[in-house]
Each structure stands twice: as C-alpha cells, then as structure tokens.
Amino acid sequence: MADISVVTAANVPGVRLDLWLWAARFFKTRALAKKSIEGGKVEVNQAAGKPSKPVHVGDRLHIARGEERFEIEVVALAHQRGSAAQAQLLYRETEASRSARLDAAERRRLERSGYARPPTKPDKRARRLIIALGDIDAM
C-alpha cells in the first residue's frame, strides 16, 4: 500500500475543498462533503465555501458536522484519503474548538444519563396506545 501524497504549499497551488475534507476524514464521501459545503456547513476564512474552492496551507476552516463544530487550520494538503493517523496530520484544531466540542459531548452524555431505554420494542398493542395518546406533552 502506497503512502498518501501529502503536499506542501510549494508543490501545488491548492486542493479542492471537498477533496481535502474527504482526505482529512471529516466526511465519509466526497458527495457528503459537497452536500455539506453547499448547505453552508463549511466556511473558509470566514466566507462561505464552494466545493471547487482551492484550500491552501494556513487557511482556517469552520466545519459543522451534526452537533459537532470544528475550527481548524490547514497544515498540509492531500489528494488521496489515507489512514486516520495520516489524516490528523493535515490539520490542527484550535484549543478553544477542542474544549467546546468536548464540553458539548459531555453535556450530551449527561443529558442521556437520566433516560432509561425500554428493554424491548413496543408490541402492537403498545404502539396503538402510543399513537392514540399522541404527543401528551402538547396538552
């Protein structure tokens, strides 16, 4: 297996934003990266990004993925997707972003701690009761 091709600013003028996000493993496919960029979930240097916008070393990206928010700086460029360890060498997350993301994950974990999942799925009778009651909190 060949190493991924990591390039520096001297070798190439830039890499497409959707390709870089895929190579850095922020998204599973380029199509998901493109959809997220077009949906306004990715900003490049405080401006809306486009999938074909070239990313350069030193650019700052704001990425919203689900409930997670990342603020990163591009450290290296790559055209191919490699291992997770190699992908982490492509960017550096700011300390404020990392602490906010970990705090939010901890808050979500604590919110779920009081909820006890039922041991089984509701049967036919229970499902009909749930549907008949509707949203009881709306009353």
Side-chain angles (χ1 to χ4, degrees), residues 7-10 12-15 55-60 73-77 90:
V7 292
T8 60
V12 73
V15 177
V55 176
H56 305 283
V57 173
D59 283 351
R60 299 186 72 73
E73 179 184 350
V74 177
V75 177
L77 304 175
L90 299 177

Side-chain angles (χ1 to χ4, degrees), residues 27-113:
F27 297 98
K28 202 171 207 175
T29 64
R30 280 184 66 187
L32 287 174
K34 180 180 177 185
K35 187 176 180 182
S36 182
I37 294 166
E38 289 172 345
K41 305 288 187 198
V42 179
E43 292 181 357
V44 181
N45 297 325
Q46 287 88 28
K50 289 187 176 182
S52 62
K53 179 172 177 52
V55 176
H56 305 283
V57 173
D59 283 351
R60 299 186 72 73
L61 304 178
H62 294 272
I63 303 166
R65 187 180 67 185
E67 295 181 7
E68 294 181 315
R69 306 287 181 263
F70 295 91
E71 185 178 325
I72 62 168
E73 179 184 350
V74 177
V75 177
L77 304 175
H79 292 282
Q80 293 179 328
R81 188 176 172 110
S83 69
Q86 291 171 330
Q88 289 178 347
L89 299 175
L90 299 177
Y91 63 91
R92 180 178 31 247
E93 186 175 7
T94 63
E95 198 57 44
S97 169
R98 179 174 298 146
S99 63
R101 193 170 45 82
L102 293 176
D103 290 344
E106 181 67 18
R107 188 173 54 252
R108 286 192 304 270
R109 187 187 69 77
L110 290 174
E111 287 172 355
R112 286 192 312 266
S113 66

